[in-house]
């Protein structure tokens, strides 16, 4: 009988090394990141900001293969609540999807655009746009690239609190998009990760396992 532990796929990604941008001279060079990831015992990675790691599929495949690594997916930011940003967001998502597909991975993580400090609420029309555009993008990724779209609620964005997460899940179709549960971001707004898992077990398609220090939150 296969144990639950043996079926887990554990990986990490560049932001665990402090990498937030494709090109920053102060951050860890990409080849050192890959070396240290493999040395730490990981076998899976998320690609991080587009352009940090090589974007030529042949070159990237060579680099990960020789370190015994496999790719799980990649994230892309999008202001999907803003109809004027749709074409740019779709272009960015397609760019990521092409690389993810070439690497044999299966997920694209959709990150909402930053809205500044605090828990924000969208006006009804903007919320409807966010839900509809996310679902539309999920269908593009599914039908054209055979990829699964997972939406990542994020602190200081328009979907971060537990009620916002629940509303988003209730108003979207699992055939189009599911949840990337980030335990740290949920904790940031004092949400209940266990409660979310219990209420939406079939909607969690991807996991970012993080934490938040309650003492720091109190400050």
């Amino acid at each position: 009988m296969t144990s639950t532990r043996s079926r887990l796929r554990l990986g990490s990604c560049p932001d665990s090394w402090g990498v937030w941008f494709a090109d920053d001279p102060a951050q860890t060079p990409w080849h050192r990141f890959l070396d240290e990831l493999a040395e730490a015992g990981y076998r899976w990675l998320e690609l991080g900001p587009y352009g940090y790691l090589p974007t030529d599929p042949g070159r990237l495949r060579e680099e990960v293969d020789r370190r015994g690594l496999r790719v799980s997916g990649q994230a892309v930011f999008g202001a999907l609540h803003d109809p004027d940003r749709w074409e740019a967001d779709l272009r960015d998502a397609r760019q990521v999807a092409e690389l993810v597909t070439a690497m044999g991975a299966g997920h694209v993580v959709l990150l909402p655009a930053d809205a500044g400090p605090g828990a924000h609420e969208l006006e009804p029309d903007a919320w409807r746009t966010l839900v509809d555009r996310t679902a539309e993008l999920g269908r593009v990724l599914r039908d054209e690239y055979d990829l699964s779209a997972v939406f990542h609620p994020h602190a200081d964005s328009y979907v971060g609190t537990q009620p916002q997460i629940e509303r988003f899940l209730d108003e979207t179709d699992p055939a189009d998009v599911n949840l990337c549960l980030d335990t740290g971001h949920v904790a940031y707004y004092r949400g209940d990760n266990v409660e979310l898992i219990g209420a939406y077990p079939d909607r969690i398609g991807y996991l970012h396992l993080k934490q938040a220090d309650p003492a720091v939150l109190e400050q």
Side-chain angles (χ1 to χ4, degrees):
M1 181 177 178
T2 303
S3 71
T4 300
R5 181 175 296 180
S6 70
R7 291 188 283 112
L8 293 175
R9 295 179 178 180
L10 303 178
S12 193
C13 62
D15 70 2
S16 297
W17 270 251
V19 175
W20 301 102
F21 306 102
D23 185 16
D24 182 341
Q27 67 193 9
T28 303
W30 66 265
H31 48 83
R32 177 181 155 191
F33 157 69
L34 289 177
D35 287 342
E36 292 180 351
L37 185 77
E39 289 169 9
Y42 289 108
R43 291 295 173 262
W44 291 84
L45 78 150
E46 193 175 291
L47 295 177
Y50 186 87
Y52 172 65
L53 294 169
T55 56
D56 174 77
R59 172 87 185 283
L60 182 58
R61 189 178 300 108
E62 178 184 353
E63 295 290 348
V64 299
D65 283 354
R66 70 184 182 86
R67 293 173 172 87
L69 297 168
R70 296 182 64 183
V71 176
S72 61
Q74 187 168 10
V76 60
F77 278 97
L80 294 171
H81 66 284
D82 183 350
D84 294 333
R85 289 283 302 276
W86 169 244
E87 293 300 329
D89 289 341
L90 181 59
R91 182 189 64 240
D92 292 346
R94 286 187 182 280
Q95 181 176 249
V96 165
E98 288 168 4
L99 184 58
V100 168
T101 302
M103 296 306 297
H107 295 85
V108 173
V109 182
L110 306 178
L111 291 158
D114 180 64
H120 300 267
E121 294 288 346
L122 286 169
E123 294 297 325
D125 287 349
W127 176 268
R128 189 72 254 158
T129 299
L130 170 69
V131 169
D132 291 345
R133 288 302 197 193
T134 304
E136 183 176 354
L137 181 53
R139 290 190 291 271
V140 169
L141 294 170
R142 180 194 66 209
D143 296 342
E144 299 185 24
Y145 300 94
D146 197 25
L147 296 172
S148 297
V150 286
F151 185 81
H152 182 313
H154 206 283
D156 299 338
S157 78
Y158 295 105
V159 186
T161 67
Q162 185 168 342
Q164 290 170 336
I165 295 169
E166 293 171 345
R167 180 183 178 192
F168 178 86
L169 292 174
D170 290 341
E171 295 182 18
T172 53
D173 189 325
D176 300 330
V177 62
N178 284 296
L179 178 67
C180 171
L181 178 65
D182 188 304
T183 57
H185 286 269
V186 172
Y188 178 84
Y189 284 128
R190 295 175 175 81
D192 189 326
N193 283 287
V194 174
E195 187 175 89
L196 281 170
I197 293 168
Y200 299 95
D202 297 333
R203 298 298 303 273
I204 300 171
Y206 205 78
L207 176 69
H208 284 177
L209 186 62
K210 302 175 188 172
Q211 60 189 12
D213 187 332
V216 175
L217 291 179
E218 287 301 324
Q219 295 178 23

